[in-house]
Amino acid sequence: MATGDSMESRVFGVFENTGVELTDVARSLADSFGGAMVFLDAVQSTPSHRFSYLCLALHGIIRYGIGGCGVDGVAQATDFFATLERRVVSRPSTDLPAFLKDAGFAKASLLTGGLVGFMGYGVCRETVAKSRRLSRGDRSNTHGSGGRDGVSDSVAPDAWMARPAVILCKDSVTGNIALSLDAQVCAIPDAMTLVMTTLRNAYTRRDSSRHRASSLPAAGGLDRDACMPREANRDGGRVPPGRPASACRGCAQQRGADSLEPDLPEGWHADMTRDEYCRAVEYVKAQEREGNAYVVNLTQRIHGPRCDDPWRAYLRLRTITPAPYSAYLEYGNGVALCCSSMERFLMIRDGKAVTSPIKGTSARGENPESDAASRDALMHSAKDRAELLMVVDLERNDMSRLCLPESITVPALARVETYSTLHQLVCDVMGTLAGPTVAGAVRLLRDMFPGGSVTGAPKESAMRIIDHVERSPRGAYTGCLGYLADGGDADFGIVIRTMECDACECRLGVGGGITHESDPRSEYDEMVLKSRAVIEAFLPRRRTPDGAGDAVSDAARRAGTGLEKHKGGETHGSGRGE
């Protein structure tokens, strides 16, 4: 391992050829550095998204909700986005040490400092929407499908962002791991030793069957308390698995509510039954016939039993349905987000921005011939292409507010990307900011949030319809999760295929785009298809024959591949969908 000082207060290290995955060490290191973690997991890497980040020793916690914005519990006079801008270093970072470059880590591809976390759908109170009921207010609806009133049962804020003092970055191509430590927050010698020891132990466990000694340097005794952030981490503690459900505030969901059975497993239920969902689709179509919108993203929440170990469930989720914007976020009050997202919300590199909306989904086939037919049908679907075109036009408009007008480009109107469970229709919209600055990046985030693929078009009108017809707040769902780096780079995925876990229950948001051509029953079936792989990861596990641990069920394998008869079949790109 090589180490060095650079970039103000940060200390760097690099571990080469470790054979260790960040998932091998994430839980242990998170517990050692305060309990909270943000894991941005490129489990299915792409050329532009090949790095995974494990972010620890989180401090400077920004929380946003109806009560406003606070940092480490102190109320802020500024709004959420202004607070973001103030908490990120505005000037680009200085150059990286040479040994990091030699190991394959370039400045443009390495997160060395900034903010990590999520912005939930409720943040739209500060962007385009002026709704009375965007996050935790009145949930009544009057479209005739029998809505229930109530309050949000989520203990999560509408947004949660923090600065990590410890960042481990894994390159999926080389296998090298870079380490970045903030000397102003961590006791560097002890923190460095702790990380080295944990990696060495993980390497030894992986290699135990070959009886090889670790190539990582040995470490001496540790003072783990010295590795904790010097600034109090007010959100760091995790709620023990035995915490009673009554300890969670809210939890107003009716446990005896109608379920989607037989489409959902026992113990899981949704905001709307099949018939109610179909009536909601008809309501949206009626609004579109009246000219109030062209496309509306209709969603609902599916509720299930609490999960005692969200981290283990996440590990199953990333195995069943790997995705480039997979992520795990855990912080105080026992709240965790387990995300397997395929959709990019916004990536900024040196002032160049790209968003990749998706519209249109088709299931994988049972054999190569039927799979190719499903893919071809999606590519030539007039309904799905029209839906994508409307969202692309919306995103071009949003991006043009801060990007140079002549820089807005759409390389190809539509392409099909194949994911493990389904095919999706995708398009890239690109633009260039006037300058690669934090202010420009934050303003672009504000102008584009929430993503057009999860609202509809026109955006404000679609959001008013959403606000009226959906029965419960979206929470983190359809927001974004990722990082805003010092200097202005950013990478956020849209929060879809994501289970929100707290001490009370699990919640999964799911839905799809509705146009005047949508068939209500087909829309319902597509919504169920999208939910299956995520729910499967949270079902009770059967034991392996030796009793050593979990085994992924046959149903999980079917949900995760969709191609049992030719598992080696080629996949293209990342795939995306709600």
Side-chain angles (χ1 to χ4, degrees), residues 280-289 296 298 465 469 514:
V281 171
E282 292 291 2
Y283 171 82
V284 171
K285 291 175 65 176
Q287 291 294 307
E288 291 170 347
R289 286 193 298 270
V296 175
L298 174 66
I465 295 171
V469 74
I514 308 300

Side-chain angles (χ1 to χ4, degrees), residues 26-243:
R27 180 74 280 156
S28 174
L29 286 176
D31 289 343
S32 297
F33 283 103
M37 71 164 129
V38 176
F39 180 36
L40 306 177
D41 182 11
V43 60
Q44 182 173 328
S45 63
T46 67
S48 64
H49 195 80
R50 66 187 246 195
F51 294 94
S52 297
Y53 295 99
L54 177 61
C55 302
L56 307 165
L58 300 163
H59 62 107
I61 309 292
I62 301 173
R63 295 174 68 99
Y64 171 79
I66 281 183
C69 188
V71 178
D72 283 335
V74 179
Q76 302 295 295
T78 55
D79 66 16
F80 173 71
F81 288 98
T83 302
L84 288 187
E85 186 175 339
R86 290 174 55 193
R87 303 292 296 184
V88 177
V89 177
S90 60
R91 60 187 175 85
S93 301
T94 55
D95 208 4
L96 292 173
F99 65 80
L100 277 180
K101 295 179 181 179
D102 293 342
F105 296 98
K107 183 178 70 172
S109 60
L110 180 62
L111 170 66
T112 56
L115 295 173
V116 296
F118 79 93
M119 292 179 273
Y121 183 77
V123 174
C124 63
R125 283 192 301 272
E126 294 200 3
T127 58
V128 300
K130 305 298 180 185
S131 170
R132 64 187 173 88
R133 181 178 75 80
L134 289 174
S135 178
R136 290 184 172 82
D138 170 29
R139 296 197 306 176
S140 62
N141 73 62
T142 57
H143 67 84
S145 63
R148 294 184 293 270
D149 295 339
V151 296
S152 172
D153 50 6
S154 172
V155 299
D158 288 320
W160 188 95
M161 301 288 289
R163 289 193 70 91
V166 178
I167 305 173
L168 280 81
C169 173
K170 174 71 180 283
D171 185 344
S172 63
V173 175
T174 66
N176 296 337
I177 297 176
L179 170 65
S180 172
L181 299 173
D182 188 340
Q184 294 181 345
V185 178
C186 288
I188 292 301
D190 294 309
M192 188 73 74
T193 300
L194 173 60
V195 173
M196 286 193 298
T197 300
T198 305
L199 287 171
R200 176 174 57 83
N201 292 340
Y203 179 87
T204 302
R205 287 194 301 271
R206 275 187 170 253
D207 254 14
S208 59
S209 61
R210 301 179 184 178
H211 304 288
R212 290 196 316 201
S214 170
S215 65
L216 291 174
L222 303 177
D223 178 3
R224 293 198 173 189
D225 289 336
C227 301
M228 295 291 292
R230 291 180 181 142
E231 181 179 344
N233 186 344
R234 308 186 185 200
D235 282 0
R238 288 187 296 131
V239 175
R243 175 178 174 173

Side-chain angles (χ1 to χ4, degrees), residues 464-496:
R464 283 194 292 268
I465 295 171
I466 287 169
D467 196 43
H468 178 73
V469 74
E470 293 186 8
R471 295 186 171 181
S472 60
R474 290 189 174 187
Y477 176 58
T478 65
C480 63
L481 192 157
Y483 68 80
L484 173 62
D486 291 338
D489 282 0
D491 198 2
F492 287 92
I494 288 186
V495 181
I496 53 176

Side-chain angles (χ1 to χ4, degrees), residues 112 167 180 311 329-330 394 414 548 561:
T112 56
I167 305 173
S180 172
W311 172 246
L329 187 152
E330 182 179 312
L394 183 155
T561 64

Side-chain angles (χ1 to χ4, degrees), residues 510-523:
V510 65
I514 308 300
T515 70
H516 72 281
E517 295 180 339
S518 295
D519 174 70
R521 297 283 169 174
S522 296
E523 294 295 340

Side-chain angles (χ1 to χ4, degrees), residues 160-459:
W160 188 95
M161 301 288 289
R163 289 193 70 91
V166 178
I167 305 173
L168 280 81
C169 173
K170 174 71 180 283
D171 185 344
S172 63
V173 175
T174 66
N176 296 337
I177 297 176
L179 170 65
S180 172
L181 299 173
D182 188 340
Q184 294 181 345
V185 178
C186 288
I188 292 301
D190 294 309
M192 188 73 74
T193 300
L194 173 60
V195 173
M196 286 193 298
T197 300
T198 305
L199 287 171
R200 176 174 57 83
N201 292 340
Y203 179 87
T204 302
R205 287 194 301 271
R206 275 187 170 253
D207 254 14
S208 59
S209 61
R210 301 179 184 178
H211 304 288
R212 290 196 316 201
S214 170
S215 65
L216 291 174
L222 303 177
D223 178 3
R224 293 198 173 189
D225 289 336
C227 301
M228 295 291 292
R230 291 180 181 142
E231 181 179 344
N233 186 344
R234 308 186 185 200
D235 282 0
R238 288 187 296 131
V239 175
R243 175 178 174 173
S246 59
C248 173
R249 76 171 187 263
C251 192
Q253 178 67 37
Q254 299 182 19
R255 300 296 174 181
D258 295 333
S259 92
L260 291 176
E261 294 291 356
D263 301 301
L264 291 180
E266 181 179 357
W268 293 76
H269 59 274
D271 291 345
M272 290 181 264
T273 64
R274 174 185 286 268
D275 288 343
E276 291 169 345
Y277 192 82
C278 289
R279 288 199 292 271
V281 171
E282 292 291 2
Y283 171 82
V284 171
K285 291 175 65 176
Q287 291 294 307
E288 291 170 347
R289 286 193 298 270
E290 293 176 9
N292 295 326
Y294 307 116
V295 57
V296 175
N297 187 263
L298 174 66
T299 75
Q300 68 168 326
R301 258 54 60 202
I302 298 174
H303 305 258
R306 60 173 297 204
C307 178
D308 286 342
D309 194 342
W311 172 246
R312 183 176 287 255
Y314 172 72
L315 295 180
R316 292 191 292 263
L317 178 64
R318 73 192 294 272
T319 299
I320 294 170
T321 173
Y325 281 94
S326 296
Y328 180 82
L329 187 152
E330 182 179 312
Y331 55 100
N333 298 322
V335 179
L337 301 182
C338 304
C339 177
S340 181
S341 175
M342 301 73 63
E343 182 168 3
R344 174 188 293 136
F345 170 56
L346 184 62
M347 183 173 71
I348 302 174
R349 291 284 184 272
D350 292 325
K352 298 185 183 300
V354 58
T355 184
S356 303
I358 61 97
K359 280 297 166 190
T361 303
S362 65
R364 299 293 300 268
E366 292 296 328
N367 52 59
E369 292 74 21
S370 63
D371 193 54
S374 177
R375 177 185 173 92
D376 186 67
L378 178 62
M379 184 64 182
H380 295 92
S381 167
K383 181 260 187 187
D384 291 319
R385 290 178 69 90
E387 188 178 336
L388 182 62
L389 176 61
M390 287 183 279
V391 174
V392 166
D393 189 55
L394 183 155
E395 300 288 25
R396 290 174 64 229
N397 178 70
D398 285 352
M399 191 173 282
S400 67
R401 297 174 186 171
L402 281 167
C403 290
L404 301 172
E406 65 276 10
S407 72
I408 307 298
T409 59
V410 179
L413 177 58
R415 69 179 187 275
V416 175
E417 291 187 348
T418 297
Y419 188 54
S420 59
T421 57
L422 41 77
H423 302 292
Q424 308 261 249
L425 206 58
V426 188
C427 181
D428 295 324
V429 182
M430 302 178 178
T432 302
L433 290 165
T437 65
V438 169
V442 171
R443 289 165 190 166
L444 187 59
L445 275 170
R446 183 201 294 267
D447 282 358
M448 297 193 67
F449 189 90
S453 65
V454 293
T455 56
K459 185 180 284 188

